Amino acid sequence: MQNTSAHLGRTHGRNRAAPLSAIHAEALWRPLPPVGYDDDGYPCESRNVAESSAHDDVLSYFRNAALALLAGRPDAMVQARLLILFEQGNPRAAVEPDITVALGVGRHFRNSYKIWVEGRPPDLVVEGLSNKTWRRDVDIKPALYQDLGVREYWQVDPLGRIPEPIAGYRLEQGVYRPIEPLRPGVYRSGVLNAELSYDRAEMTIRDAQTGERIPLVHDAVRERNDARRERDGALRQRDEERTAHAAALARIAELEARLKP
């Protein structure tokens, strides 16, 4: 994203008498029929197709890592492809990030994120760049997320459309500023308290407190299965040793009985 801060700074301070849905009309959600609506007439679902395996894989890992990092916070919500509705009475005022994280709102059932119901904007959103939508994610949507008050905005780019594979922006005094790397290729998310890196081949997310890497789901399952097999093998060995010990005691008793006059 070139000159992002300058571009977003120009959008900040516009005539806010106009609703955000009018100011950011190009950023609004574009549903793919069929579209589902809730009981109040607001959209909550449409047909979504994954852009590519790389796009789907990196976003799935990001979502699962966020869930793991926030597992101890029952007030934290992490959702994929959840509509954010931001103007009560206007069903068209909707935007759909790839991932939404909101702290302090709980994990109860919701089919959309209505800011006037939740009482606050989300804390973090992620967009995975795709061939179909990357220009909107880079040039158009950030200004809406900024004006909504989303604390962190992350772009993950498996396509090579922006200079770095991952880019983050943090809200400072109402304007998005680029999140500078802690070291080459590694960035800090304050919302997740995590370190993020991505090289268009693999994403790594680490707990900033422990330095522990959040494993991929299939790696976590494999590690669990390996631990389970190791435990089962140890239990079998223990049972075999107990059986052998009991057999040895029985043999000793038998021999002692033979030695008696």
Side-chain angles (χ1 to χ4, degrees):
M1 184 188 300
Q2 296 181 351
N3 299 323
T4 299
S5 297
H7 171 72
L8 292 177
R10 288 196 296 272
T11 68
H12 187 67
R14 285 177 174 172
N15 180 6
R16 293 301 293 273
L20 289 181
S21 57
I23 295 173
H24 301 288
E26 291 183 272
L28 299 184
W29 176 58
R30 299 174 182 178
L32 295 173
V35 180
Y37 294 85
D38 64 18
D39 292 341
D40 296 320
Y42 292 96
C44 58
E45 61 180 333
S46 72
R47 178 174 57 85
N48 294 311
V49 179
E51 172 71 18
S52 68
S53 59
H55 181 271
D56 191 51
D57 287 348
V58 70
L59 291 174
S60 294
Y61 173 63
F62 199 115
R63 177 178 179 270
N64 289 330
L67 284 168
L69 288 163
L70 298 172
R73 292 198 56 167
D75 67 332
M77 181 207 79
V78 180
Q79 291 291 332
R81 309 304 293 266
L82 184 71
L83 277 181
I84 299 173
L85 295 149
F86 54 89
E87 288 177 7
Q88 189 171 7
N90 183 3
R92 291 178 55 82
V95 64
E96 184 188 37
D98 286 316
I99 299 171
T100 303
V101 176
L103 308 179
V105 299
R107 296 183 183 178
H108 56 271
F109 170 80
R110 50 172 65 81
N111 53 21
S112 63
Y113 191 96
K114 297 172 181 173
I115 290 181
W116 65 92
V117 173
E118 307 288 353
R120 57 183 296 167
D123 292 275
L124 178 152
V125 297
V126 182
E127 295 285 7
L129 305 193
S130 69
N131 283 316
K132 296 177 183 177
T133 64
W134 74 271
R135 292 186 185 278
R136 293 178 70 235
D137 294 337
V138 170
D139 297 327
I140 297 172
K141 281 188 174 182
L144 172 56
Y145 293 138
Q146 172 184 273
D147 283 350
L148 289 176
V150 178
R151 289 166 53 196
E152 286 184 11
Y153 172 55
W154 292 89
Q155 298 166 349
V156 180
D157 176 23
L159 305 174
R161 300 295 188 180
I162 58 177
E164 299 296 330
I166 185 169
Y169 298 86
R170 183 175 290 117
L171 200 63
E172 297 178 1
Q173 298 181 339
V175 177
Y176 274 150
R177 304 295 184 192
I179 297 175
E180 299 298 330
L182 298 172
R183 49 192 180 276
V186 180
Y187 301 84
R188 171 73 176 267
S189 167
V191 173
L192 298 178
N193 194 22
E195 295 183 1
L196 286 59
S197 62
Y198 179 51
D199 61 3
R200 296 196 174 99
E202 184 177 29
M203 172 169 275
T204 297
I205 298 180
R206 296 183 183 276
D207 186 315
Q209 287 186 317
T210 66
E212 180 183 3
R213 182 183 187 273
I214 307 301
L216 296 166
V217 171
H218 59 268
D219 287 339
V221 171
R222 186 182 66 249
E223 290 172 5
R224 184 197 64 185
N225 290 340
D226 290 345
R228 183 175 293 170
R229 282 192 293 270
E230 184 176 350
R231 180 204 63 188
D232 292 345
L235 290 174
R236 282 195 301 271
Q237 183 177 355
R238 183 198 65 186
D239 292 342
E240 290 170 357
E241 289 174 352
R242 286 179 176 177
T243 299
H245 181 65
L249 290 176
R251 179 59 175 166
I252 291 171
E254 177 186 352
L255 292 174
E256 288 179 343
R258 289 183 182 180
L259 292 173
K260 288 181 180 179

